[in-house]
Amino acid sequence: MSLALLKEHYTNKNIIMSTKNWPLWEVFVRSKNGLEHRHFGSLHAADAEMALENARDVYTRRNEGVSIWVVESKDITASNPEHNGELFEPAQDKVYRHPTFYDLPDDVKYM
Amino acid sequence: MSEEQIKNLEKQFEERIARDEKIEPKDWMPDKYRQTHIRQMSQHAHSEIVGMLPEGNWISRAPTLRRKVALLAKVQDEAGHGLYLYSACETLGISRDALYEQLHSGKAKYSSIFNYPTVTWADMGAVGWLVDGAAIINQVPLCSTSFGPYARAMVRVCKEESFHQRQGYEIMLKLTQGTPEQIDMAQDALNRWWWPSLMMLGPTDAESVHTEQSMKWKLKRKSNDDLRQQFIDQTVPQAELIGLTIPDPDLKWNEERGSYDFGEINWDEFWQVVKGHGPMNKERMKARIDAWEGGEWVRDAAMAHAEKKAERKIKQAI
Amino acid sequence: MKNENLYNYILGIADNSLILGQRLGELTGHGPSLETDIACTNMSLDLFGQVRSYYQYAAKLKGGDATEDTIAFLRKERDYVNVLLVEQPDRDFAYTMARQFLFDVYHLLFLQELQKSHDITLTAIAKKSIKEVSYHQRFSTDWIKRLGDGTTVSHDKMQEAIDSLWTYTDELFHQTAADKAMVAEGIGVDVTALKVKYYSLVNAVLEEATLKIPESKWFQKGGKKGIHTEHFGYILSNMQYMQLAYPNMEW
């Protein structure tokens, strides 16, 4: 088959191509005990078991983990960056939540 | 949104990038930024998975067990890197399947260098040394690119890839320490891969369409010609160290520039290969399409099983 | 050779992993999804890792110029003693997973016994390999269930793969002369004793996967005596190509 024909074949095939693609999962890995699970990336899998297996094979090939969480990406609710102003900026001027807000004499110890 | 509002948003957006702020997937972004990123990241991902094929070609024939496991691990990494990059693309709302379609239909490009055949074992050395070497030069600056998911994927890729080039160079080194036949094999591979590797760093700046915009978005930190010069300057001494000759009669150290001058690149050949007339374009595409179409029933079965399993779980609960 | 029985015994274990690893390696870049591709390469890498430990040990026993590579690459067709099952080709993903599963179940049972061996090197290799092979078995078992239970197409393909490969399962439990000698010395595993457990484990998975357990009582054998299927010569001509075309060189 020529490349052109091959392309045509593929384009035609798309019309009847299956739409049941494996959903996307987010992978969280604990690198070692004592540390939190951290977002490592994502992958595709048909179900949770497969997602765990795939995560092990894809994201811990170099001994990167001792524990894995997977969650289907669609189940994550994310904040909208357009609301960042109302969500996060009000915290910016609440300096009294930080220890440096309070003036204490330098010779106070253990504080 | 009015035109003025959009202009204003764009201005703020460019300022954020100029301040070295990262852009995350759900942030507002100009459509061009989105499209350019989908194009570049997917092209990068496609290159990784098409790039598995020329090296995969030698897995079953690797000469020793040590070489075999190293090559297997390397090609496997390329699958991983493709996966990280497809995932980065998917954060912009395009599915991996759609990206595959673009690849298979010829709409999306991948690095042309993978359209050359791997003819001898020495090609495993040359590909690792030169092709990965050129790739690293391209990739390291991307670790600080403006789009967060791309930058994060590249950090992981660069970390993992540090062994790839060494693996290739070690193969070459061993060959050059071997019999005359092995030395010839190494030189022959260098002869065949040298020029395609130079082309891999992209058309000359004069011909390059996207450079200025890409610089602004930190998709590119240096021009193609600068990258090429950097690659040549660091690779020539590596070749000399193992007694191989760069196949370029015009190659000469330029004291004044502190760089090597080099001969004319055959850009005709480059564009021919890009257009699909390279020695292996057709085979590479066929291998990818076969794997994808041939795997469709497998993927469907896994989904069907997952659905049945979920249904059974619900029934049990009732 | 002083330890000829032990040497042959080790080859009997390692050749299986070598040929199965080689088969899995051929798939790299051609898997049904990127994730599955990566997983199969991982299994191949595990198997080659095991092979290297076994052959390095065998090379020490053999002495002289023997290395892991002379043992892996420089024997003739009749000198490889892997079972016929592992050399069967990857006709499709169902065959690949069925072959993997039918071998993994045996492999894990075998290693669990091998870790009780009186030979400390073999015990150490077995202990390390058990972890890897437990994962292989979990992976292939899941795929047997997925494809068996999945769609009509996948069910039929998996049934066909199991039916075709079934004939190679009985050989796993045949004892060679080296086996018998090593069992007598408390070094080797009595494979005949694994058979009942093997089929009960395999059958349980097949049932769960809605697959029919093949009824045929006709089994192929020969691999353990170096009489292979026709596929084997091609595996060797690939695998040995470099060593034969460029003899006595360092790579």
Side-chain angles (χ1 to χ4, degrees):
Chain A
M1 226 189 298
S2 75
L3 196 61
L5 269 176
L6 208 67
K7 283 176 190 170
E8 197 186 331
H9 160 76
Y10 192 76
T11 320
N12 292 338
K13 178 97 186 7
N14 281 346
I15 302 163
I16 49 162
M17 230 181 71
S18 137
T19 48
K20 285 193 175 171
N21 297 316
W22 291 356
L24 194 65
W25 298 73
E26 301 300 321
V27 178
F28 299 82
V29 177
R30 186 200 294 287
S31 308
K32 59 176 190 193
N33 275 3
L35 296 179
E36 68 277 61
H37 285 76
R38 199 165 61 78
H39 184 235
F40 260 46
S42 50
L43 48 74
H44 289 269
D47 53 42
E49 287 78 15
M50 195 202 279
L52 267 183
E53 288 171 9
N54 290 348
R56 177 261 192 192
D57 284 321
V58 171
Y59 287 104
T60 65
R61 298 200 299 287
R62 286 177 170 77
N63 204 15
E64 292 99 330
V66 295
S67 164
I68 302 175
W69 291 345
V70 290
V71 56
E72 217 181 311
S73 310
K74 71 169 170 52
D75 293 333
I76 292 182
T77 311
S79 64
N80 184 343
E82 276 171 33
H83 303 155
N84 274 12
E86 58 199 86
L87 285 176
F88 307 116
E89 275 169 33
Q92 279 172 9
D93 67 351
K94 311 291 192 292
V95 281
Y96 43 79
R97 289 199 173 104
H98 299 279
T100 45
F101 176 74
Y102 301 94
D103 291 325
L104 293 184
D106 288 346
D107 15 325
V108 182
K109 299 262 159 64
Y110 308 114
M111 202 173 277
Chain B
M1 233 181 290
S2 76
E3 218 168 281
E4 192 167 337
Q5 276 173 312
I6 291 178
K7 272 229 168 79
N8 199 17
L9 276 171
E10 276 177 5
K11 188 164 163 278
Q12 284 173 14
F13 181 83
E14 299 294 347
E15 283 167 0
R16 285 182 64 193
I17 293 182
R19 281 198 303 270
D20 263 337
E21 273 182 44
K22 296 283 183 218
I23 307 301
E24 293 298 341
K26 289 193 154 192
D27 293 352
W28 183 88
M29 62 184 75
D31 194 50
K32 199 168 167 219
Y33 183 89
R34 181 184 301 274
Q35 295 314 328
T36 305
H37 274 77
I38 290 176
R39 195 185 57 235
Q40 177 163 337
M41 291 191 294
S42 65
Q43 196 170 315
H44 198 157
H46 297 328
S47 300
E48 295 281 357
I49 58 156
V50 177
M52 295 171 74
L53 299 168
E55 288 177 287
N57 179 38
W58 278 89
I59 288 173
S60 65
R61 289 175 292 170
T64 67
L65 291 174
R66 180 174 179 271
R67 291 287 176 218
K68 197 189 281 284
V69 291
L71 188 60
L72 267 168
K74 188 195 169 202
V75 180
Q76 184 193 44
D77 272 352
E78 281 155 12
H81 299 168
L83 193 151
Y84 307 154
L85 289 160
Y86 283 127
S87 300
C89 263
E90 285 181 274
T91 63
L92 290 178
I94 182 160
S95 72
R96 194 196 294 174
D97 313 80
L99 295 168
Y100 275 165
E101 264 171 51
Q102 294 180 353
L103 173 69
H104 297 164
S105 68
K107 199 178 145 212
K109 298 267 176 280
Y110 56 90
S111 185
S112 289
I113 196 143
F114 301 119
N115 291 318
Y116 290 88
T118 49
V119 215
T120 71
W121 169 251
D123 290 19
M124 294 305 98
V127 168
W129 172 33
L130 302 172
V131 177
D132 285 84
I136 290 167
I137 283 185
N138 246 329
Q139 286 172 354
V140 168
L142 287 173
C143 294
S144 55
T145 191
S146 65
F147 186 53
Y150 196 19
R152 290 192 287 274
M154 289 319 297
V155 167
R156 186 171 281 274
V157 167
C158 288
K159 208 156 83 187
E160 295 187 350
E161 239 170 41
S162 52
F163 94 84
H164 292 186
Q165 196 191 12
R166 293 171 70 101
Q167 183 247 182
Y169 191 64
E170 194 199 66
I171 290 174
M172 293 304 254
L173 172 69
K174 204 76 184 172
L175 289 172
T176 56
Q177 292 167 340
T179 63
E181 206 178 357
Q182 284 175 300
I183 296 170
D184 286 351
M185 192 195 268
Q187 182 64 52
D188 166 64
L190 172 57
N191 293 350
R192 283 181 289 108
W193 289 95
W194 174 253
W195 292 103
S197 302
L198 297 190
M199 295 174 197
M200 189 183 158
L201 292 154
T204 50
D205 297 348
E207 298 268 329
S208 182
V209 210
H210 309 296
T211 302
E212 201 190 330
Q213 182 70 82
S214 298
M215 292 268 192
K216 249 211 255 139
W217 289 340
K218 300 179 186 177
L219 271 170
K220 233 172 167 19
R221 311 309 285 257
K222 282 183 182 177
S223 75
N224 293 349
D225 287 336
D226 287 348
L227 291 171
R228 198 166 4 253
Q229 187 71 59
Q230 182 189 341
F231 174 72
I232 293 170
D233 290 347
Q234 69 186 45
T235 310
V236 173
Q238 292 167 356
E240 283 169 357
L241 192 68
I242 53 175
L244 294 176
T245 312
I246 302 282
D248 178 359
D250 297 325
L251 188 82
K252 205 168 71 235
W253 178 251
N254 183 326
E255 196 66 63
E256 212 173 297
R257 289 201 304 127
S259 269
Y260 284 92
D261 292 337
F262 55 97
E264 193 81 32
I265 292 172
N266 182 354
W267 290 112
D268 272 351
E269 177 183 320
F270 175 77
W271 291 114
Q272 283 308 311
V273 179
V274 170
K275 281 178 196 144
H277 306 303
M280 299 296 285
N281 293 57
K282 204 178 119 185
E283 281 81 355
R284 299 289 184 245
M285 238 355 75
K286 186 171 183 321
R288 283 314 314 160
I289 293 173
D290 285 352
W292 185 243
E293 291 190 355
E296 188 179 329
W297 69 269
V298 178
R299 298 189 302 274
D300 286 352
M303 277 314 287
H305 171 68
E307 280 160 17
K308 285 186 197 173
K309 207 165 57 172
E311 271 171 35
R312 281 196 288 265
K313 225 183 208 170
I314 293 171
K315 268 190 200 146
Q316 262 172 14
I318 300 166
Chain C
M1 205 193 325
K2 209 176 78 200
N3 286 311
E4 196 159 358
N5 275 328
L6 179 56
Y7 176 81
N8 287 330
Y9 185 69
I10 296 169
L11 297 194
I13 308 171
D15 285 359
N16 288 334
S17 298
L18 175 74
I19 301 304
L20 188 56
Q22 179 77 4
R23 276 293 190 216
L24 285 169
E26 292 167 1
L27 287 175
T28 304
H30 307 279
S33 78
L34 267 183
E35 287 83 354
T36 328
D37 202 302
I38 291 171
C40 288
T41 309
N42 261 353
M43 294 196 287
S44 176
L45 280 168
D46 287 342
L47 290 168
F48 281 120
Q50 296 164 18
V51 166
R52 294 186 71 189
S53 307
Y54 287 124
Y55 285 167
Q56 282 164 10
Y57 183 31
K60 232 196 285 173
L61 293 173
K62 191 157 193 211
D65 295 334
T67 66
E68 58 176 32
D69 290 321
T70 62
I71 297 175
F73 296 99
L74 291 176
R75 283 179 286 154
K76 307 285 186 219
E77 302 89 318
R78 293 292 312 276
D79 301 330
Y80 288 84
V81 289
N82 58 278
V83 291
L84 299 177
L85 174 66
V86 294
E87 67 198 47
Q88 298 311 306
D90 298 287
R91 295 191 196 281
D92 61 28
F93 194 67
Y95 271 85
T96 302
M97 283 301 109
R99 182 185 65 204
Q100 192 65 38
F101 168 69
L102 292 173
F103 183 71
D104 288 343
V105 175
Y106 159 80
H107 198 186
L108 188 57
L109 289 173
F110 175 84
L111 289 171
Q112 281 161 349
E113 292 305 310
L114 188 66
Q115 64 174 340
K116 301 175 197 156
S117 168
H118 290 167
D119 183 300
I120 51 163
T121 311
L122 290 182
T123 323
I125 300 174
K127 285 200 165 126
K128 179 176 170 287
S129 308
I130 279 176
K131 294 178 189 151
E132 296 168 342
V133 174
S134 304
Y135 185 77
H136 299 182
Q137 191 191 320
R138 177 215 298 259
F139 183 85
S140 61
T141 300
D142 282 353
W143 273 106
I144 299 294
K145 292 181 197 163
R146 275 186 201 115
L147 297 182
D149 175 59
T151 62
T152 334
V153 175
S154 72
H155 176 88
D156 292 352
K157 281 180 190 278
M158 186 43 94
Q159 187 68 58
E160 187 203 315
I162 292 285
D163 288 348
S164 317
L165 295 173
W166 195 255
T167 188
Y168 302 112
T169 51
D170 191 62
E171 190 191 8
L172 292 163
F173 311 101
H174 293 196
Q175 273 190 321
T176 63
D179 275 10
K180 285 177 190 154
M182 287 301 102
V183 171
E185 286 186 40
I187 291 175
V189 175
D190 178 4
V191 286
T192 58
L194 307 176
K195 192 168 169 175
V196 174
K197 184 108 187 263
Y198 173 85
Y199 283 109
S200 86
L201 288 170
V202 166
N203 293 353
V205 172
L206 295 184
E207 269 170 29
E208 199 186 329
T210 72
L211 294 162
K212 274 211 261 337
I213 297 156
E215 281 164 12
S216 167
K217 297 279 179 265
W218 291 102
F219 293 103
Q220 300 297 325
K221 59 181 180 192
K224 287 186 173 181
K225 292 196 167 121
I227 305 168
H228 294 276
T229 55
E230 288 184 355
H231 308 293
F232 190 69
Y234 295 96
I235 299 179
L236 280 198
S237 41
N238 245 322
M239 195 173 74
Q240 298 185 332
Y241 166 70
M242 288 298 293
Q243 291 285 349
L244 296 186
Y246 304 89
N248 302 315
M249 298 182 199
E250 299 274 316
W251 302 98

